[in-house]
Amino acid sequence: MPGSEGRFDPSPRRRTRRWPLIALAAIAAVALTHHARSAKDVLAGLLSGAPRPAIPFEVAVESSRFEKVRPEGAAAGLAVGDEPVRIGGGVYLGTASPWEAARRLRPGDTMEVVYRHSDPGMAPVEHTATIRLTAASPSRGSLVRSWIVGLGLKVGMPLFATLLGLWVVAVRPTDRRAWILLGLMLSFGQLVRADAASWEPGLREAGVAYSVALSSSWSIFMFLFGLSFPEPFRAEQRRPWIKWVPIAVIGASSLLTTVGSVGALEHQGAMGSVWAVERVLQVPAFVLALACVSSFFASLAMKTAFASSPDSKRRLRLLRTGATVALTPLFLLVIWSLATRHALEDAPTAIFLTALLPVLVFPATLAYVIVVQRALEVRWVLRMGARYLMVKNGLRLLIFAGMLPLGVMFSRIWLRPEVGFPLKLATMGVWVVIIFTVRRRATKALRAIDRRFFRDAYDEEHVLTELGEQVRTIVEAGPLLRTVTERIGSALHVGRIGTLVEDKGAFVLTPAPAAEPVPSLAAGSRTLEVLKAVGGPVGVYFDDPASWVHRDGGLPVAERRVLRELDTQILLPLAARGELLGMVSLGPKLSEQPYSRTDLRLLRNVATHTGLALLNSRLTSAIVAETATRARLSREIEIAREVQERLFPQQIPAVPGIECAGACRPASRVGGDYYDFLALPGGVLGIGLGDVSGKGIPAALLMASLQASLRGQTMDGGGDLARLMGRVNRLIHDTSPENRYATFFYAQLDPATRRLDYVNAGHNPPFLLRGGGAEILRLKDGGMVVGLMQDAAYVKASVDLRPGDLFVGFTDGISEAMNAEDEEWGEGRLLEALRSAEPGLAAPRVVERIFERADAFVAAAPQHDDMTLIVVRVLPG
């Protein structure tokens, strides 16, 4: 059964066979069809505006003689013991004949009955009686009784019992006890059965067979259920054949009764031999049936006395008390019927309802004990039944009793043909207003009753609020778990609570006891699998053979020893974000009461709070460690930044007629941009500018590698720039990951000839401004980025510089600087800033001017790329 509080605990591996489900589907189809047809008759009799005629007599199914005669039949001459010959012009064939004759008649019509009257010592004489039929609707004095019996005992109770039995078998199709419960519920639902003899041909035979077979075998299922619940007697296990002796006798009698009742519908005369054999078995079957029902109570009493745990005693005691309350009044009514030789329905209304209404308690008790399986004390049930249920259901019954006459009155007004439509419409409006008003008042009253009797929700809210406030300020796992267990213990009065926390793959008891070994559960243990599968509180019941701890060979010895050592009754998983962080083991409550649904709901909510708090505790510990690590890394990065700053040119080489300046502003403390001015042999000036892919330390390392590669390749002057760039590319490719590369621009300026040779390896083309910006050249020739492909080819390009020319190289951090609206500064604004500079402005001032204009545009918006700029001015003259 779903829910860890049930006797049928969930299992992550449940295997069922197909045939039980097929059989269950067939039984469900038959049972629900029977209930639907029976409910149709009951509701038609209660609500119909044109009631059916009452059959003026009843014929004994065994003897073909009148066993009961209504007043209109007696007035026409019929008497108990007479034998019907013809009814309504047709030959009497069986118990279905009166219903067939009355099917075409209405109250007030006449029915002609030919019958034989036998006086002692005289030959049977046929007589003819003409009977005026009366309505089958109940009199005003029995209206409430008819509604209660019809809706409660003929429709509601059988349907509830049937659905309960079907649901239990659907959940546990391979459990023998579930099928016994289904048989018990189906047979119990037919103890007050509808008369299926009035149904249509074909359906009535099936209906009579269903009702008679189940009602006459009810004692068998009571007997079997008493033997098997919660587990069989040892003597019954050693000698299972003993139980088949009474079952065979009662079953044979039930079979004969069923065959005789079905045959008596249209072939009553041929059933004499069947009833003759049945009369032989009648007395022993009746005695054995009483013995079987008595054994049900005796079995529960014996199992209660010898139960191994208080929990088992409590369940059995609840079931025995519920069955006693439900069946004792019915048993007394049967004794009254046998003593007075009256039918059960002939009992006075007060006695009849007093005896039958408690019957509703029996399936409800079975539902609670079998489905929930963690029954509370009997005194709790009585308290709730006598107070809350009495008050709440009493209010509902009062509302029903008050609304029923109004509903019947309005229905009759609506169904009368002589009543005009305006009056019917007005009646409907009044009825709607009454229903709306009563419903609103009743809802308020029922809510007030709930607040008065159900205070667990308020207590639960208080516990959760207080616990949430406490754990919010606790960051260490030990004090956190200690606070949670103390709060649970004080709220639920649990004697023993332990917590097991995940530690290196295993779940270890925390705090660990002084004695060794410390209780622990391995990471792959079956207990953890069940906890993960259920995701909530799981019951641990070693006294229950159907519990998960006994399935599939049972728990391993090591796990069983740990749970017994902790005296575990409930395991509460502590999880967060799909990860099991620990668990709480709760022993029995000091009151010896089982854990109720409210308790389990509270535990589930506490587990949610605690799991998140435990995760926060771990995250806090991790953050503390991370903070220390970050402080160390921050210092190391600061050292790296200082080292990287030393890689940039600390002093720009002095070149006649040339003025140089450069600056780099990293987006973070270390960056991936690179620029350099190199003093080469022969007074040649080397100019380098690069942008490494990525950010942070990896980019800074590749930038250092690029600088080292360039300086190493230019030590001898490096006249062939294309070959130089190819060697740099191979060095970067061989010493960096595959996904790392750099855009790179390298040029050599000979001051004597003012010739600038360059190779652009995928970098932003630098600007060469002439005539104050009147002419713009872009230096873009060269090849692909360095470091991406080992054998990339490059070409050299050249340009002659003139006095006043301004060379400006930049990385994309300059041109793609963004403001808060994600708008780029762009190369256009960069050119505009260069053109607006005063003629002859020194190179360092040009660098400052560009950075000022870029900063003004971005307006302090954070930048995500390094900004690097170099300027080379050819002086006039």
Side-chain angles (χ1 to χ4, degrees):
M1 295 297 166
S4 58
E5 70 275 21
R7 187 177 184 85
F8 301 136
D9 293 297
S11 172
R13 295 171 292 180
R14 177 179 295 169
R15 294 186 286 270
T16 59
R17 298 177 181 175
R18 182 177 298 179
W19 69 263
L21 298 178
I22 295 176
L24 178 64
I27 293 173
V30 173
L32 296 178
T33 300
H34 183 277
H35 286 306
R37 183 61 183 81
S38 177
K40 176 184 176 182
D41 278 354
V42 172
L43 296 177
L46 293 174
L47 300 175
S48 177
R52 299 178 305 169
I55 304 299
F57 51 81
E58 292 183 10
V59 181
V61 69
E62 305 94 341
S63 62
S64 301
R65 294 183 180 275
F66 297 135
E67 66 175 357
K68 184 176 181 180
V69 178
R70 289 174 60 92
E72 60 270 23
L78 302 185
V80 174
D82 291 345
E83 181 181 0
V85 177
R86 288 187 300 276
I87 299 178
V91 177
Y92 176 80
L93 300 175
T95 54
S97 296
W99 296 103
E100 289 296 325
R103 191 181 302 276
R104 298 177 298 274
L105 301 177
R106 294 290 181 267
D109 294 344
T110 58
M111 175 187 287
E112 185 178 90
V113 179
V114 178
Y115 63 96
R116 295 190 186 97
H117 181 72
S118 298
D119 290 328
M122 297 181 63
V125 179
E126 290 189 0
H127 299 275
T128 301
T130 301
I131 306 171
R132 184 168 297 278
L133 302 179
T134 61
S137 57
S139 62
R140 294 181 180 276
S142 60
L143 181 62
V144 175
R145 169 173 168 170
S146 299
W147 277 81
I148 292 176
V149 172
L151 292 181
L153 298 177
K154 290 186 178 181
V155 177
M157 186 271 289
L159 182 59
F160 172 76
T162 300
L163 293 177
L164 169 64
L166 293 174
W167 182 68
V168 172
V169 175
V171 177
R172 300 288 299 174
T174 59
D175 195 316
R176 183 171 64 96
R177 294 172 304 164
W179 287 94
I180 294 174
L181 174 68
L182 174 59
L184 179 58
M185 290 291 92
L186 293 178
S187 59
F188 187 78
Q190 296 304 311
L191 291 183
V192 182
R193 62 178 186 265
D195 194 344
S198 63
W199 296 358
E200 300 81 1
L203 189 59
R204 65 186 170 207
E205 287 79 7
V208 169
Y210 179 88
S211 297
V212 175
L214 286 174
S215 62
S216 59
S217 59
W218 173 64
S219 58
I220 294 177
F221 293 106
M222 289 284 286
F223 175 56
L224 291 175
F225 190 80
L227 289 179
S228 62
F229 177 82
E231 58 187 34
F233 286 110
R234 293 182 179 178
E236 194 270 333
Q237 291 177 325
R238 290 194 298 266
R239 299 179 180 84
W241 58 269
I242 296 178
K243 64 177 177 290
W244 294 108
V245 175
I247 291 176
V249 176
I250 300 173
S253 176
S254 174
L255 178 61
L256 292 171
T257 303
T258 303
V259 173
S261 299
V262 174
L265 288 171
E266 295 184 356
H267 307 283
Q268 193 167 21
M271 293 295 107
S273 59
V274 175
W275 292 115
V277 178
E278 195 278 333
R279 278 192 290 272
V280 174
L281 297 176
Q282 189 175 36
V283 174
F286 178 74
V287 173
L288 288 175
L290 291 179
C292 286
V293 175
S294 301
S295 73
F296 170 83
F297 294 96
S299 297
L300 295 183
M302 294 177 61
K303 291 180 179 181
T304 302
F306 295 103
S308 59
S309 70
D311 209 26
S312 297
K313 290 179 181 289
R314 188 175 300 111
R315 289 195 300 268
L316 292 165
R317 192 160 56 243
L318 174 67
L319 179 58
R320 187 181 60 183
T321 302
T324 302
V325 171
L327 301 180
T328 298
L330 179 61
F331 176 75
L332 295 177
L333 182 61
V334 172
I335 297 299
W336 172 86
S337 174
L338 295 175
T340 61
R341 297 183 179 276
H342 284 85
L344 297 180
E345 58 270 19
D346 292 337
T349 298
I351 297 176
F352 186 79
L353 296 181
T354 302
L356 288 185
L357 283 181
V359 169
L360 300 173
V361 176
F362 185 64
T365 304
L366 282 173
Y368 188 79
V369 175
I370 299 302
V371 178
V372 180
Q373 278 287 314
R374 309 311 304 165
L376 301 179
E377 291 281 5
V378 174
R379 62 176 178 270
W380 185 90
V381 175
L382 294 177
R383 182 176 72 244
M384 296 305 293
R387 296 180 63 188
Y388 176 73
L389 294 179
M390 184 179 294
V391 172
K392 191 166 186 177
N393 293 336
L395 177 61
R396 289 172 173 167
L397 184 60
L398 181 63
I399 295 172
F400 176 77
M403 296 293 290
L404 180 61
L406 291 176
V408 172
M409 181 183 69
F410 288 145
S411 299
R412 290 181 175 177
I413 292 175
W414 185 263
L415 294 174
R416 287 181 180 175
E418 65 272 14
V419 177
F421 181 76
L423 182 57
K424 290 182 178 180
L425 189 62
T427 302
M428 179 66 70
V430 173
W431 178 240
V432 170
V433 171
I434 292 176
I435 290 178
F436 178 79
T437 303
V438 172
R439 180 189 177 100
R440 185 175 59 181
R441 301 283 183 180
T443 300
K444 291 183 179 180
L446 292 174
R447 287 177 180 172
I449 293 172
D450 286 340
R451 287 193 298 269
R452 171 64 180 83
F453 286 94
F454 282 92
R455 290 175 287 185
D456 284 348
Y458 300 103
D459 295 339
E460 177 183 352
E461 182 179 357
H462 175 72
V463 170
L464 293 175
T465 301
E466 188 176 78
L467 184 61
E469 293 175 353
Q470 290 176 329
V471 302
R472 190 179 299 116
T473 59
I474 302 176
V475 296
E476 297 183 13
L480 168 66
L481 295 175
R482 186 165 54 251
T483 300
V484 171
T485 54
E486 290 175 356
R487 197 70 187 95
I488 293 176
S490 62
L492 302 181
H493 305 288
V494 181
R496 185 175 182 184
I497 305 179
T499 55
L500 291 88
V501 180
E502 192 273 334
D503 182 19
K504 298 178 181 179
F507 287 76
V508 183
L509 183 65
T510 304
E516 296 289 344
V518 178
S520 64
L521 294 172
S525 63
R526 187 179 171 203
T527 302
L528 296 183
E529 292 179 0
V530 173
L531 276 178
K532 292 177 181 178
V534 175
V538 174
V540 180
Y541 307 120
F542 289 104
D543 62 322
D544 184 358
S547 178
W548 63 272
V549 297
H550 298 297
R551 292 182 189 153
D552 298 331
L555 281 180
V557 176
E559 295 183 46
R560 186 184 297 266
R561 182 174 61 250
V562 170
L563 296 180
R564 287 192 180 277
E565 182 178 347
L566 297 174
D567 199 13
T568 304
Q569 193 171 92
I570 295 290
L571 277 176
L572 182 66
L574 304 177
R577 297 181 181 177
E579 179 184 0
L580 185 63
L581 305 175
M583 67 188 76
V584 180
S585 168
L586 293 92
K589 297 168 72 172
L590 296 176
S591 62
E592 296 187 351
Q593 291 184 340
Y595 290 89
S596 66
R597 291 185 177 181
T598 302
D599 298 336
L600 296 178
R601 184 174 65 245
L602 172 63
L603 291 174
R604 190 184 296 272
N605 291 331
V606 167
T608 301
H609 284 73
T610 307
L612 293 175
L614 191 58
L615 180 61
N616 291 336
S617 173
R618 292 191 174 188
L619 292 177
T620 301
S621 300
I623 289 173
V624 171
E626 180 71 16
T627 301
T629 302
R630 288 192 175 188
R632 185 179 68 254
L633 291 176
S634 179
R635 177 54 186 160
E636 293 175 355
I637 292 175
E638 186 64 25
I639 295 174
R641 184 187 65 81
E642 295 174 359
V643 171
Q644 188 182 45
E645 286 182 352
R646 299 294 299 175
L647 296 179
F648 292 115
Q650 303 299 306
Q651 185 175 4
I652 298 177
V655 179
I658 301 297
E659 187 180 55
C660 303
C664 177
R665 182 191 295 172
S668 57
R669 284 187 286 182
V670 291
D673 280 5
Y674 164 62
Y675 79 92
D676 208 349
F677 294 106
L678 306 174
L680 301 178
V684 175
L685 176 67
I687 304 170
L689 178 63
D691 186 357
V692 176
S693 64
K695 302 288 188 298
I697 295 295
L701 293 176
L702 184 57
M703 173 264 196
S705 177
L706 179 62
Q707 188 226 33
S709 299
L710 177 64
R711 294 207 169 197
Q713 295 299 318
T714 58
M715 290 182 64
D716 59 353
D720 190 346
L721 297 190
R723 291 182 60 191
L724 181 148
M725 189 64 73
R727 291 194 296 270
V728 170
N729 172 69
R730 282 191 296 273
L731 289 172
I732 298 300
H733 179 273
D734 294 341
T735 58
S736 63
E738 293 182 357
N739 62 340
R740 293 292 180 181
Y741 61 90
T743 64
F744 189 50
F745 177 89
Y746 180 67
Q748 289 184 354
L749 174 60
D750 186 349
T753 63
R754 293 179 180 173
R755 184 177 181 84
L756 181 72
D757 298 327
Y758 69 90
V759 177
N760 190 335
H763 194 74
N764 301 77
F767 293 122
L768 182 60
L769 284 76
R770 285 180 173 168
E775 182 182 359
I776 305 295
L777 300 180
R778 302 299 299 269
L779 310 183
K780 57 184 178 180
D781 297 327
M784 66 181 303
V785 297
V786 296
L788 192 61
M789 296 182 62
Q790 185 175 16
D791 297 324
Y794 299 91
V795 296
K796 180 186 74 172
S798 301
V799 62
D800 292 328
L801 301 184
R802 304 172 185 174
D805 284 356
L806 185 66
F807 169 89
V808 179
F810 57 93
T811 61
D812 53 11
I814 293 287
S815 59
E816 296 177 2
M818 290 189 177
N819 58 19
E821 287 74 29
D822 289 339
E823 182 183 2
E824 288 187 359
W825 191 40
E827 293 184 355
R829 291 187 175 90
L830 172 60
L831 278 174
E832 182 182 349
L834 292 171
R835 286 170 172 164
S836 64
E838 298 85 351
L841 188 65
R845 284 293 302 144
V846 173
V847 172
E848 293 176 1
R849 175 70 61 86
I850 298 303
F851 273 104
E852 289 173 358
R853 292 291 184 91
D855 291 341
F857 176 79
V858 301
Q863 300 302 302
H864 304 288
D865 201 358
D866 305 333
M867 302 173 68
T868 303
L869 185 70
I870 59 175
V871 174
V872 177
R873 174 179 290 279
V874 181
L875 300 177

